[in-house]
Amino acid sequence: MQVTVLLFASYQDAAGTDNLRLDLPEGVTAAGCAETLAATFPALAARLPAGRVAVNAEFADDRTILRDGDEVAFLPPMSGG
Amino acid sequence: MAIVFLSDDPLQDVGELGARLQDPERGALVTFSGTVRGSTRGRRVTHLEYEAYRPLAEKQLRAIAEEAGERWGVTCAIAHRLGKVAVGERSITIAVASAHRAEAFEACRWLMDSLKTTVPIWKKEHFDGGAQWIEGSDTVPSPSSSTHNS
């Protein structure tokens, strides 16, 4: 199955892109997606644990099961205001 | 009732935002306006650049405005600027109306604190010769070319 990954702020600098498609096994969790992402972009590996993840524009957590077509957003610590 | 929005254009004066909450039962109006400072951490800032995960940022703004409404019985309006924001320009405006002042002051402070940690918006500080993302209490050097997401 395939998901769309969105990256923000320093994560997009580390990956050199703000969005990509990842092929992942059925039943994978958000944590599994993060592992694949970290393996693809080693510069992201150290930064991802400090952030949060959202699936289809809702906050999710490591155990959230992903489905084909999901939009998975990796969010660094926020700094609005 | 809450008014929340993200804006690519300059924000209106916070007084005008507050006027949208006018209600004869709400005698107190507290407003907060944040503008871009010309220096930070001892360096001169040329401008800031704000980026958001828009669909979730809008949802979260509404969620904190509604939570403040429940906790303090207030009505709120929050507007956040995105994109390139010059020194001296407004980046955030918050207005809180309530029957009495104590609730409005408390809710306004809580909204600003919550916004900084729970709404997916990020700021990038641009200096002469460089730029850095602000992420929580961290700073992350960044190539200063403009980012493309919003």
Side-chain angles (χ1 to χ4, degrees):
Chain A
M1 66 171 206
Q2 222 178 31
V3 301
T4 300
V5 170
L6 302 182
L7 301 173
F8 295 89
S10 72
Y11 292 179
Q12 59 184 235
D13 288 345
T17 183
D18 62 2
N19 76 93
L20 63 141
R21 309 267 272 168
L22 275 187
D23 287 308
L24 298 169
E26 294 288 334
V28 74
T29 60
C33 180
E35 278 171 34
T36 302
L37 197 61
T40 311
F41 303 104
L44 267 178
R47 307 209 62 83
L48 287 176
R52 296 183 71 174
V53 63
V55 177
N56 300 328
E58 298 282 355
F59 284 121
D61 63 40
D62 285 353
R63 293 156 303 171
T64 303
I65 307 276
L66 303 183
R67 299 183 199 292
D68 188 47
D70 277 352
E71 178 179 279
V72 187
F74 289 91
L75 313 170
M78 298 156 197
S79 60
Chain B
M1 183 210 74
I3 300 165
V4 301
F5 58 96
L6 301 170
S7 174
D8 296 302
D9 300 313
L11 298 180
Q12 61 181 173
D13 182 82
V14 69
E16 291 170 45
L17 188 71
R20 294 166 68 173
L21 301 178
Q22 254 179 1
D23 175 342
E25 297 308 310
R26 298 181 182 279
L29 176 70
V30 167
T31 61
F32 174 82
S33 173
T35 59
V36 174
R37 269 194 319 273
S39 64
T40 183
R41 300 171 182 86
R43 299 171 80 174
R44 285 230 75 69
V45 172
T46 54
H47 64 277
L48 297 186
E49 189 180 330
Y50 286 91
E51 170 178 276
Y53 180 28
R54 280 180 184 254
L56 183 55
E58 282 169 2
K59 256 187 246 181
Q60 274 300 109
L61 282 178
R62 184 159 299 283
I64 63 173
E66 285 171 358
E67 187 177 341
E70 282 165 25
R71 284 173 67 169
W72 288 283
V74 298
T75 57
C76 315
I78 310 172
H80 201 299
R81 178 79 185 275
L82 297 180
K84 185 175 170 178
V85 189
V87 170
E89 277 194 297
R90 280 183 283 275
S91 57
I92 172 85
T93 51
I94 297 180
V96 183
S98 65
H100 303 286
R101 69 185 183 283
E103 294 81 359
F105 276 119
E106 257 188 77
C108 188
R109 170 184 282 268
W110 179 85
L111 281 170
M112 194 61 209
D113 292 344
S114 300
L115 183 147
K116 281 180 173 289
T117 54
T118 69
V119 179
I121 298 175
W122 299 270
K123 66 163 74 78
K124 191 186 207 177
E125 296 173 343
H126 288 262
F127 310 98
D128 285 330
Q132 63 187 8
W133 286 107
I134 309 302
E135 294 182 357
S137 53
D138 270 359
T139 58
V140 188
S142 170
S144 55
S145 62
S146 186
T147 54
H148 40 289
N149 206 325
S150 58

